[in-house]
Amino acid sequence: MNQIVINADLGQASISKHIYGHFAEHLGHGIYGGFWVGADSLIPNTRGIRNEIVAALRAVRIPNLRWPGGCFADEYHWMDGIGPNPQRPAMINTHWGGVTENNHFGTHEFMDLCEQLDCEPYICGNVGSGTVQEMQQWVEYLTSDGASPMADLRRRNGREEPWRVRFWGVGNESWGCGGNMKAEYYAHEYLRYQTYLRNFGDNRIFKIAGGANDTDYHWTEVLMKEARSNRGHPCMHGLSLHYYTPDSPSRLKGHATQFGEQEWINILNAATKIDGLITNHTAIMDQHDPQRDVGLMVDEWGTWYAVEAGTDPNFLYQQNSLRDALAAALTLNIFNRHCERVRMANIAQTVNVLQALILTEAGSERIVLTPTYHVYEMYQVHQDATLLPLDLRCEDYNFGNQTMPGLSATASRDRAGRVHLTLCHVNPNRNVDVRFEVRGMALKAVTGRVLTADHMTAHNTFNAPAQVRPSALPTATIQNNQFTLTIPAMSVMVLELQPSATV
Ligand code: AHR
């Protein structure tokens, strides 16, 4: 028996729109050849930024974009990326293939991109190889008005008004590529760096400490104990967490589109492991911060496979199948459920890298929207909506020696009072009938869309871009505020539950 009861008139916690955030690193063709084509390109662009990508991401209401890394952030020196292009010094991107970075995409270009996307910037500062002064000056350059050396430099580079920048990361993966620090050492460094993240004018910095990888609970414990506050002054607004599916070291073994049912359940089960991770990191945070003032920011997550044949292994370019759509849907349902602590999440990485929403064709203007893109398009209904309690009972899906619940769901009520349900059905072998019951709202109609395909490896390509895309659901018949739907095998669904005019 598969059944979902939705309590439409309950719920208190809000699902932050920032859970639907993104990440763009100077890595492979994420920026260059992805977002950025340059103003001289024949590919339609606005000041060098590819128009079609901006339009696609605006359509999913991208709330924030994290930049410039990732591991790149801790070797990036922002002053190399301002001023006229010919005067910008080049550098070697040592972490991602040793390619030459010409710094043509820098601070002004990133802020222009965020303005075109209508999203908030999330900047990750350099702790590993940078200085406190460098980070302090970057904040001043971006956000200071009035008379200040950095504001004057910004004006000389063509931007009169300060930008607003809220989200600020203090280093990335400081336990690894960001400096190989111990938790105790980073906690001290964090306190020192964050001291100089000044609030200019009415700009308010939301300080995000570099957090744990996967099950590194010691890191979370130390950061919450040592760096959350100092002598009664709060020093941290968010603490990050990174989790890739499957977790290393096996993550490089699988292929994005050549797999069978064993790899199907391996990946989907591994994706749901983040539920336990969030629960455990939250429990530690709760001990030090019972009011839940500090957000858990899952600012890197997604699937990580072997790269596509013939591509540079350092560029992390992978295709994206229906399996990735389900991995994203399961993960987003988990984030939604934990929204009291999880305030932000950033899928890695929006364009051409890892679990991308968009792939671009080299040297052409063609782009393809991946199955993961369609999940973001469908799930945007939850952005800033109120999480509704639901009771889900379902059959398990079993394969080999693995078992997982067949269904996963989120229900929410948006600010206009509309109720939405997203549903993910992981069994690739059969459809299931699910009975839905709505309580606390008189139900008039149900509309919805479903994302599925006829095989589990289905994916979109430049020549066949619509193999996996949502389609409309048949109308459901409502009786006594209940209805039954046949949920296709291996599918993601979004429903809108429309109330009668009077309850
Ligand atoms: O997203 C790719 C890399 O994964 C990031 O640069 C790093 O932070 C993580 O290890």
Side-chain angles (χ1 to χ4, degrees), residues 17-29:
K17 67 179 179 181
H18 292 292
I19 283 177
Y20 292 83
H22 288 267
F23 173 33
E25 179 167 9
H26 288 235
L27 191 180
H29 294 299

Side-chain angles (χ1 to χ4, degrees), residues 23 25 27 66 69-73 95-96 172-173 175 177 213 242 244 251 300 304 316 348-349 353-354:
F23 173 33
E25 179 167 9
L27 191 180
R66 178 174 183 252
C71 295
F72 181 75
H95 203 87
W96 300 116
N172 170 74
E173 297 195 350
W175 39 264
C177 64
N213 191 41
H242 289 181
Y244 284 97
R251 67 187 179 196
E300 286 187 30
W304 191 320
L316 310 185
Q349 304 187 5
V353 177
L354 298 176

Side-chain angles (χ1 to χ4, degrees), residues 457-472:
T457 60
H459 56 280
N460 296 332
T461 66
F462 298 105
N463 292 325
Q467 298 301 295
V468 188
R469 65 171 172 184
S471 56

Side-chain angles (χ1 to χ4, degrees), residues 82-101:
I82 55 172
N85 274 349
Q87 288 163 28
R88 296 187 188 182
M91 66 176 282
I92 301 297
N93 187 339
T94 54
H95 203 87
W96 300 116
V99 296
T100 301
E101 159 70 57

